[in-house]
Amino acid sequence: MTTVNQVFAQIDSLIPQPGETEAISLTQAMHRVLREPAMTSEDQPPFDRSSIDGYLVRADEPAKKVRLISTHSPGQSAPPLPPAGSAIRILTGSALPKHAGLIMQEDTRPAGADFIELLKKPDPTLIRLQGSHSRKGSILLPAPSLLQPGSITLLASLGITQPKVSRLPRVVHLVTGEELVDPNQNPAHGQIRDCNSILIRTLLTSFSATLVTQQRVGDDRKLFRQACRLSLATQPDILLLSGASSVGDHDHAGSVLEELGFTILLRQVSVRPGKPFILAQNNNTLAFGLPGNPLSHFVCFHLFVRRALLRLSGLPPPPFLSATLIPGVTITANPRETWWPCHLGSDEGSLTAQPLPWRDSSDLSSLAQTNGLLRVPAGQEARSPCEVLPTIPW
């Protein structure tokens, strides 16, 4: 049976390069992936400027009484250097001439009409020198980079208002299961609420993908095939199928995908939860057949679908971290590799992982507290230090 690491390698080989790029506005850039380095087109700061509200004098002006000759505000060209024995009232951010000196307001006192007394010599550290942050041509943000408020602000300061980013991966999600009803309905006997749809929708939002279509298609093979065929017309990067991936009477995913031109690359993974799992390819579309149970959905998404989304966007795979295991639920050895829901925390600066209880792959009770998956190798019990995969940014 295919191992988790083998699936990782296969996904990486299927997506050797990131997808297309597009230019977008900064207002649309949150959580997008920058694909071109952000480079300065000029020195930063572009001119010497004041870091304070205070007084501009000559750099060699001694502490003494000087005449106040004018006021200078930000947004204007640098004023001429004042003559010896005089000062200009200056505000934070104002451009400065060469050989300038600055005095903080609290280091002066009034000395009569239009005069102040300097109590100290000018302080050169109060001047933000041209190019002291970065020089023209410096790369301030490498590519690829996930854009966050700070990096978007940096782009604005550099005048990069249409950054080139990865196009959002296009995803279609089809949900099988005749027993599923909408969450706002009261299920009849034998029915359950569909939670896989909202799970996938929110996960895709978290990882910046476009959900092109999401549809509940039941178990009828003809309707399922039609829905798959129509979804392919939207040219998705990823086709997600919830359920229908095992070997039951209503598990049509494998055969339908083959009829529609997909090559089935694997049908099972040695993982718990999540053993019935399909990976298939048709030209530029990857299909993932996820096990129908929600916990299996959660695990397989974070292990495999998330990896594909990141590679399409140009980002590296999510990191595995080392954590100290906190005593809690006993995790016994299993022939399959287990990815156990856990709660990640910290203890004196060290990452900790506390296993959360779950009875079977349909048990959702632990997901509300889950922020990581604890890796337990096949045939072993969980032990410290353990390997974990955060399911939220960490």
mmCIF file of all heavy atoms in Angstrom, residues 45 60 70 132-133 162 174 196 211 243 250 257 290 300 336-337 361 382-383 387 392:
data_model
loop_
_atom_site.group_PDB
_atom_site.id
_atom_site.type_symbol
_atom_site.label_atom_id
_atom_site.label_comp_id
_atom_site.label_asym_id
_atom_site.label_seq_id
_atom_site.Cartn_x
_atom_site.Cartn_y
_atom_site.Cartn_z
ATOM 1 N N PRO A 45 15.463 55.735 3.068
ATOM 2 C CA PRO A 45 14.648 56.833 2.557
ATOM 3 C C PRO A 45 15.272 57.453 1.304
ATOM 4 O O PRO A 45 16.492 57.408 1.138
ATOM 5 C CB PRO A 45 14.641 57.837 3.719
ATOM 6 C CG PRO A 45 15.112 57.092 4.914
ATOM 7 C CD PRO A 45 15.998 56.019 4.425
ATOM 8 N N ASP A 60 27.548 71.865 12.890
ATOM 9 C CA ASP A 60 28.586 72.279 13.848
ATOM 10 C C ASP A 60 28.127 73.422 14.750
ATOM 11 O O ASP A 60 28.949 74.067 15.399
ATOM 12 C CB ASP A 60 29.861 72.680 13.107
ATOM 13 C CG ASP A 60 29.625 73.802 12.075
ATOM 14 O OD1 ASP A 60 28.445 74.196 11.904
ATOM 15 O OD2 ASP A 60 30.596 74.249 11.445
ATOM 16 N N SER A 70 12.398 80.598 10.310
ATOM 17 C CA SER A 70 11.255 80.107 9.518
ATOM 18 C C SER A 70 10.812 78.742 10.048
ATOM 19 O O SER A 70 11.425 78.182 10.956
ATOM 20 C CB SER A 70 11.633 79.983 8.028
ATOM 21 O OG SER A 70 12.640 79.003 7.837
ATOM 22 N N SER A 132 19.678 54.768 4.239
ATOM 23 C CA SER A 132 20.023 54.053 5.475
ATOM 24 C C SER A 132 19.161 52.810 5.690
ATOM 25 O O SER A 132 19.556 51.897 6.416
ATOM 26 C CB SER A 132 19.901 54.986 6.679
ATOM 27 O OG SER A 132 18.580 55.512 6.797
ATOM 28 N N HIS A 133 17.992 52.758 5.080
ATOM 29 C CA HIS A 133 17.157 51.556 5.158
ATOM 30 C C HIS A 133 17.534 50.559 4.075
ATOM 31 O O HIS A 133 17.690 49.365 4.344
ATOM 32 C CB HIS A 133 15.677 51.919 5.024
ATOM 33 C CG HIS A 133 15.168 52.774 6.140
ATOM 34 N ND1 HIS A 133 13.908 53.337 6.125
ATOM 35 C CD2 HIS A 133 15.732 53.180 7.297
ATOM 36 C CE1 HIS A 133 13.727 54.044 7.226
ATOM 37 N NE2 HIS A 133 14.830 53.967 7.952
ATOM 38 N N GLN A 162 0.777 47.009 -8.459
ATOM 39 C CA GLN A 162 0.194 45.893 -9.201
ATOM 40 C C GLN A 162 1.156 44.709 -9.134
ATOM 41 O O GLN A 162 1.785 44.317 -10.119
ATOM 42 C CB GLN A 162 -0.051 46.296 -10.662
ATOM 43 C CG GLN A 162 -1.146 47.327 -10.867
ATOM 44 C CD GLN A 162 -2.529 46.708 -10.759
ATOM 45 O OE1 GLN A 162 -2.775 45.614 -11.265
ATOM 46 N NE2 GLN A 162 -3.453 47.405 -10.116
ATOM 47 N N LEU A 174 -17.307 18.186 -5.381
ATOM 48 C CA LEU A 174 -18.542 17.423 -5.511
ATOM 49 C C LEU A 174 -18.685 16.508 -4.298
ATOM 50 O O LEU A 174 -17.748 15.788 -3.938
ATOM 51 C CB LEU A 174 -18.542 16.595 -6.792
ATOM 52 C CG LEU A 174 -18.369 17.392 -8.103
ATOM 53 C CD1 LEU A 174 -18.391 16.446 -9.298
ATOM 54 C CD2 LEU A 174 -19.446 18.455 -8.243
ATOM 55 N N ASN A 196 -19.199 18.092 5.252
ATOM 56 C CA ASN A 196 -18.016 18.109 4.390
ATOM 57 C C ASN A 196 -17.980 19.333 3.481
ATOM 58 O O ASN A 196 -16.903 19.842 3.173
ATOM 59 C CB ASN A 196 -17.961 16.842 3.542
ATOM 60 C CG ASN A 196 -17.505 15.636 4.336
ATOM 61 O OD1 ASN A 196 -16.799 15.772 5.335
ATOM 62 N ND2 ASN A 196 -17.918 14.452 3.913
ATOM 63 N N LEU A 211 -13.066 28.506 -5.032
ATOM 64 C CA LEU A 211 -14.031 27.414 -5.132
ATOM 65 C C LEU A 211 -14.977 27.747 -6.284
ATOM 66 O O LEU A 211 -15.900 28.552 -6.143
ATOM 67 C CB LEU A 211 -14.787 27.243 -3.820
ATOM 68 C CG LEU A 211 -15.791 26.088 -3.753
ATOM 69 C CD1 LEU A 211 -15.120 24.757 -4.059
ATOM 70 C CD2 LEU A 211 -16.465 26.043 -2.384
ATOM 71 N N GLY A 243 -16.202 11.366 -0.677
ATOM 72 C CA GLY A 243 -16.820 10.063 -0.680
ATOM 73 C C GLY A 243 -16.710 9.384 -2.034
ATOM 74 O O GLY A 243 -16.045 9.875 -2.953
ATOM 75 N N HIS A 250 -21.824 2.101 -4.029
ATOM 76 C CA HIS A 250 -22.022 3.469 -4.492
ATOM 77 C C HIS A 250 -20.714 4.242 -4.641
ATOM 78 O O HIS A 250 -20.733 5.464 -4.797
ATOM 79 C CB HIS A 250 -22.946 4.224 -3.524
ATOM 80 C CG HIS A 250 -24.350 3.707 -3.527
ATOM 81 N ND1 HIS A 250 -25.205 3.864 -2.455
ATOM 82 C CD2 HIS A 250 -25.048 3.017 -4.466
ATOM 83 C CE1 HIS A 250 -26.366 3.301 -2.739
ATOM 84 N NE2 HIS A 250 -26.296 2.784 -3.955
ATOM 85 N N LEU A 257 -14.012 8.575 -13.053
ATOM 86 C CA LEU A 257 -12.829 9.350 -13.443
ATOM 87 C C LEU A 257 -12.136 8.712 -14.640
ATOM 88 O O LEU A 257 -11.699 9.418 -15.575
ATOM 89 C CB LEU A 257 -11.862 9.468 -12.264
ATOM 90 C CG LEU A 257 -12.297 10.396 -11.121
ATOM 91 C CD1 LEU A 257 -11.327 10.292 -9.951
ATOM 92 C CD2 LEU A 257 -12.405 11.852 -11.584
ATOM 93 N N LEU A 290 -11.576 11.890 -1.722
ATOM 94 C CA LEU A 290 -11.396 11.897 -0.269
ATOM 95 C C LEU A 290 -12.378 10.939 0.396
ATOM 96 O O LEU A 290 -13.536 10.836 -0.026
ATOM 97 C CB LEU A 290 -11.617 13.312 0.282
ATOM 98 C CG LEU A 290 -10.772 14.424 -0.330
ATOM 99 C CD1 LEU A 290 -11.124 15.764 0.312
ATOM 100 C CD2 LEU A 290 -9.293 14.144 -0.169
ATOM 101 N N CYS A 300 -6.826 14.141 5.273
ATOM 102 C CA CYS A 300 -6.349 14.017 3.888
ATOM 103 C C CYS A 300 -6.206 15.380 3.215
ATOM 104 O O CYS A 300 -5.314 15.571 2.376
ATOM 105 C CB CYS A 300 -7.294 13.124 3.087
ATOM 106 S SG CYS A 300 -7.159 11.372 3.526
ATOM 107 N N ARG A 336 -0.942 0.973 10.197
ATOM 108 C CA ARG A 336 -0.883 2.136 9.300
ATOM 109 C C ARG A 336 -0.319 3.350 10.039
ATOM 110 O O ARG A 336 -0.490 3.490 11.246
ATOM 111 C CB ARG A 336 -2.277 2.481 8.772
ATOM 112 C CG ARG A 336 -2.799 1.535 7.712
ATOM 113 C CD ARG A 336 -4.170 1.978 7.241
ATOM 114 N NE ARG A 336 -5.240 1.593 8.160
ATOM 115 C CZ ARG A 336 -6.407 2.214 8.260
ATOM 116 N NH1 ARG A 336 -6.665 3.284 7.505
ATOM 117 N NH2 ARG A 336 -7.317 1.782 9.102
ATOM 118 N N GLU A 337 0.342 4.216 9.312
ATOM 119 C CA GLU A 337 0.787 5.493 9.875
ATOM 120 C C GLU A 337 -0.445 6.295 10.291
ATOM 121 O O GLU A 337 -1.414 6.385 9.545
ATOM 122 C CB GLU A 337 1.583 6.252 8.817
ATOM 123 C CG GLU A 337 2.107 7.595 9.254
ATOM 124 C CD GLU A 337 2.957 8.230 8.172
ATOM 125 O OE1 GLU A 337 3.806 7.523 7.572
ATOM 126 O OE2 GLU A 337 2.773 9.429 7.915
ATOM 127 N N SER A 361 -13.473 7.693 12.384
ATOM 128 C CA SER A 361 -13.250 8.769 11.414
ATOM 129 C C SER A 361 -14.486 9.613 11.139
ATOM 130 O O SER A 361 -14.407 10.608 10.405
ATOM 131 C CB SER A 361 -12.718 8.201 10.097
ATOM 132 O OG SER A 361 -13.607 7.238 9.572
ATOM 133 N N ALA A 382 2.946 6.466 20.122
ATOM 134 C CA ALA A 382 3.360 7.871 20.143
ATOM 135 C C ALA A 382 4.372 8.087 21.259
ATOM 136 O O ALA A 382 4.212 7.572 22.367
ATOM 137 C CB ALA A 382 2.144 8.772 20.354
ATOM 138 N N ARG A 383 5.421 8.836 20.958
ATOM 139 C CA ARG A 383 6.449 9.125 21.946
ATOM 140 C C ARG A 383 7.079 10.489 21.648
ATOM 141 O O ARG A 383 6.992 10.993 20.525
ATOM 142 C CB ARG A 383 7.514 8.036 21.952
ATOM 143 C CG ARG A 383 8.248 7.879 20.638
ATOM 144 C CD ARG A 383 9.403 6.885 20.776
ATOM 145 N NE ARG A 383 8.938 5.535 20.978
ATOM 146 C CZ ARG A 383 8.843 4.638 19.991
ATOM 147 N NH1 ARG A 383 9.161 4.991 18.751
ATOM 148 N NH2 ARG A 383 8.429 3.423 20.222
ATOM 149 N N GLU A 387 6.595 14.308 15.790
ATOM 150 C CA GLU A 387 6.499 15.168 14.613
ATOM 151 C C GLU A 387 5.051 15.608 14.450
ATOM 152 O O GLU A 387 4.134 14.785 14.519
ATOM 153 C CB GLU A 387 6.962 14.405 13.376
ATOM 154 C CG GLU A 387 7.219 15.277 12.162
ATOM 155 C CD GLU A 387 7.854 14.491 11.031
ATOM 156 O OE1 GLU A 387 7.445 13.340 10.791
ATOM 157 O OE2 GLU A 387 8.761 15.048 10.375
ATOM 158 N N ILE A 392 -3.040 25.221 11.272
ATOM 159 C CA ILE A 392 -3.224 26.664 11.154
ATOM 160 C C ILE A 392 -1.836 27.269 11.119
ATOM 161 O O ILE A 392 -0.860 26.623 11.508
ATOM 162 C CB ILE A 392 -4.032 27.252 12.338
ATOM 163 C CG1 ILE A 392 -3.296 27.011 13.669
ATOM 164 C CG2 ILE A 392 -5.433 26.665 12.387
ATOM 165 C CD1 ILE A 392 -3.929 27.707 14.840
#
